[in-house]
Amino acid sequence: MLGLIIAIIVTVITGYLIIKKYKAQTVLMVAGSILMACSVFIVGKPLLAEKAATGFAGFDIFKYMTTIFQSRTANLGMIIMAVAGFTRYMDKIGASKSLVKICIKPLQMFHAPYIVLGFGYIVGQILNIFIPSASGLGLLLMLTMYHILVSLGVSKEAATAMIATASCLDLGPGSGNATLAAKNAGLDVAIYFAHYQIPVAVCVMAVVAVSHMIMQKYFDKKQGHVVEKKVIESSGENGDEPGKIYAILPVLPLILILAFSKLFISSIKMDVITAMILSVFVSMGFELVRHGNLKEVMKSIQTFFDGMGTQFATVVTLVVAGEVFAKGLTSIGAIDTIISYAEHSGFGGFGMTVVMTMVIVVSAIVMGSGNAPFFAFSALAPAVSEKLGMHAVLMLLPMQFAAGIARNVSPITAVVVAVSGISQISPVEVAKRSAVPMALAIITTLACTALFWQF
């Protein structure tokens, strides 16, 4: 019990410091170190196995950090960096914009503004599979879909709120959270995406789309907004923009990963990193045909490398920091105490999944990040689920979805701040309009996971 009390105190302080804009990586690593140091005195168990230990418990804390840096950078870290580099390259050559333009074109055919808004969410969520950056996708949709919705008569607040949540589900192998969830569940990322994410995501998307239609219409009516068509001037076409064929490039990695997997062609193996690098080279071929300047095309790959480096400095380090914090919680016995309490309280597998999911939800809202809480707590899910006799994926899936969903209710998260800045409305207003759709999304996620796999 003492370990749990210390863990709660340290966790509360950790959350407070992150809310106050202290560097999340540093806070998590220091907090994890403190918990591990306390565990040496309270629990008395060594932090590392005898072969890996340094011989001094104080040094073992930093040895653990070294081990995590080495393993995560070589595996999961490389996946995250490759995806980020590819996304950055797609933005540079205009392929992401081409994909968005094609996908939103059918929406212009309808004249029921709030129905278009609901379908717009679904289009945005599908695009998120191929454009995994929440902020990047949000900004692209603000340049395109936003003008369509406002011209149909939807208020700028309603359009912004929907666009801010278009990436609430981290779907596909391009998502760092999804990749981490698949790894911790011991599943191939393609299997995790096709067999687990998609069935639940389809239901959640339907619920969010309908709830956005209802809630945004309700808020617009409440603020006295009058639905009328408007003429919105666009920024104009850039004569050097790529052709429609470029829309296939952001989709190419997903096609390769799914095609060469256990779902279709299992004789050929295609991992995420290989798919990303191969797709970059194919894209460079497109660029060579388009511009005819070999030197500039070869130089453009630096954008891919820059994207990788940025992601290491921000996300990969956050993964490591999250695992250090999770190690601290585990080593001090806090998680074992919670599990024991849940078992004796009759929570069972589903009850414990709800508890873990709610921890993620609260953390994501106060931190303004879906990555930070999921990276911190996802590593605990396999051990927790094993003790409860359930497959880890049934706990990880709701946790992973909840991290992205709850992030979009936070007025300090990057995508909410970015899109509200363009439409010049308060991030708090965006979060308020998103609260009900996102709450229903979390409930639907938990309900569908329990219904589909009956745990």
Side-chain angles (χ1 to χ4, degrees):
M1 182 58 71
L2 178 59
L4 178 60
I5 293 173
I6 294 174
I8 291 173
I9 293 172
V10 172
T11 302
V12 169
I13 295 173
T14 299
Y16 174 79
L17 292 176
I18 292 175
I19 292 172
K20 290 297 182 180
K21 304 295 184 182
Y22 283 71
K23 186 69 174 176
Q25 287 92 326
T26 310
V27 172
L28 289 169
M29 293 180 83
V30 170
S33 300
I34 292 172
L35 290 172
M36 281 189 270
C38 290
S39 74
V40 173
F41 296 100
I42 296 173
V43 181
K45 293 173 63 177
L47 297 173
L48 300 175
E50 187 176 347
K51 289 184 178 180
T54 62
F56 175 58
F59 294 161
D60 285 349
I61 295 173
F62 300 97
K63 176 64 175 180
Y64 178 78
M65 292 183 191
T66 301
T67 303
I68 291 297
F69 260 115
Q70 290 173 334
S71 62
R72 294 299 173 262
T73 303
N75 297 304
L76 177 65
M78 275 302 299
I79 294 174
I80 294 172
M81 289 188 286
V83 169
F86 179 74
T87 302
R88 179 81 68 89
Y89 193 73
M90 290 297 99
D91 288 339
K92 176 179 173 59
I93 66 177
S96 296
K97 191 172 183 180
S98 294
L99 178 62
V100 170
K101 281 188 173 182
I102 288 176
C103 290
I104 68 170
K105 197 168 185 179
L107 297 178
Q108 295 173 300
M109 299 169 59
F110 296 91
H111 302 288
Y114 294 99
I115 293 178
V116 174
L117 183 142
F119 277 109
Y121 160 74
I122 293 175
V123 171
Q125 190 64 77
I126 293 172
L127 282 169
N128 184 232
I129 301 172
F130 314 112
I131 307 173
S133 168
S135 300
L137 176 61
L139 292 173
L140 283 170
L141 293 179
M142 287 300 291
L143 294 173
T144 50
M145 188 182 291
Y146 173 80
H147 296 294
I148 295 172
L149 293 171
V150 173
S151 67
L152 287 174
V154 169
S155 73
K156 64 179 184 179
E157 290 86 357
T160 305
M162 182 280 289
I163 289 172
T165 61
S167 57
C168 68
L169 299 178
D170 288 327
L171 293 171
S175 162
N177 278 6
T179 303
L180 180 59
K183 179 183 179 300
N184 286 336
L187 295 173
D188 180 87
V189 69
I191 298 297
Y192 177 68
F193 171 57
H195 287 184
Y196 292 96
Q197 280 194 319
I198 289 180
V200 176
V202 169
C203 299
V204 174
M205 287 164 64
V207 169
V208 173
V210 173
S211 62
H212 261 311
M213 294 179 200
I214 297 171
M215 294 309 301
Q216 302 317 321
K217 186 174 183 178
Y218 165 78
F219 277 113
D220 281 0
K221 186 176 180 179
K222 186 177 180 181
Q223 74 176 26
H225 174 76
V226 178
V227 178
E228 58 181 0
K229 291 186 178 181
K230 303 173 185 176
V231 177
I232 305 293
E233 293 184 3
S234 64
S235 58
E237 292 290 323
N238 181 352
D240 192 41
E241 286 185 356
K244 294 180 179 178
I245 188 65
Y246 268 60
I248 191 66
L249 296 179
V251 187
L252 186 57
L254 183 65
I255 294 174
L256 292 170
I257 292 166
L258 293 179
F260 301 109
S261 70
K262 295 176 182 178
L263 298 174
F264 297 103
I265 305 173
S266 59
S267 59
I268 299 176
K269 296 180 180 179
M270 176 66 64
D271 58 71
V272 176
I273 301 171
T274 304
M276 295 297 166
I277 295 175
L278 175 57
S279 298
V280 167
F281 274 80
V282 172
S283 302
M284 290 172 65
F286 275 62
E287 283 289 272
L288 183 59
V289 172
R290 175 184 168 195
H291 296 293
N293 189 328
L294 180 61
K295 184 176 182 180
E296 287 301 313
V297 170
M298 288 188 169
K299 182 180 177 181
S300 69
I301 200 172
Q302 186 62 41
T303 302
F304 175 75
F305 298 144
D306 290 343
M308 292 180 69
T310 300
Q311 205 73 352
F312 175 84
T314 55
V315 178
V316 177
T317 54
L318 191 56
V319 172
V320 173
E323 291 208 34
V324 170
F325 182 64
K327 174 69 173 178
L329 290 174
T330 305
S331 61
I332 204 169
I335 301 305
D336 288 337
T337 303
I338 293 174
I339 293 172
S340 177
Y341 177 79
E343 288 175 333
H344 287 91
S345 300
F347 278 11
F350 180 72
M352 201 58 207
T353 298
V354 173
V355 170
M356 295 290 284
T357 301
M358 289 303 103
V359 169
I360 292 287
V361 168
V362 174
S363 301
I365 293 174
V366 298
M367 293 180 186
S369 168
N371 289 340
F374 187 70
F375 290 159
F377 295 108
S378 64
L380 306 175
V384 174
S385 57
E386 183 181 358
K387 290 188 178 183
L388 294 171
M390 58 185 286
H391 196 294
V393 73
L394 302 183
M395 184 173 288
L396 284 162
L397 178 62
M399 289 172 64
Q400 188 241 314
F401 273 6
I405 294 167
R407 171 195 62 200
N408 291 90
V409 187
S410 174
I412 62 172
T413 195
V415 63
V416 173
V417 172
V419 299
S420 60
I422 292 177
S423 59
Q424 296 183 334
I425 62 176
S426 169
V428 176
E429 177 67 19
V430 174
K432 182 175 72 175
R433 283 174 169 258
S434 304
V436 172
M438 296 299 95
L440 292 174
I442 292 171
I443 294 170
T444 304
T445 297
L446 288 165
C448 288
T449 304
L451 179 64
F452 293 162
W453 292 286
Q454 297 179 357
F455 72 99

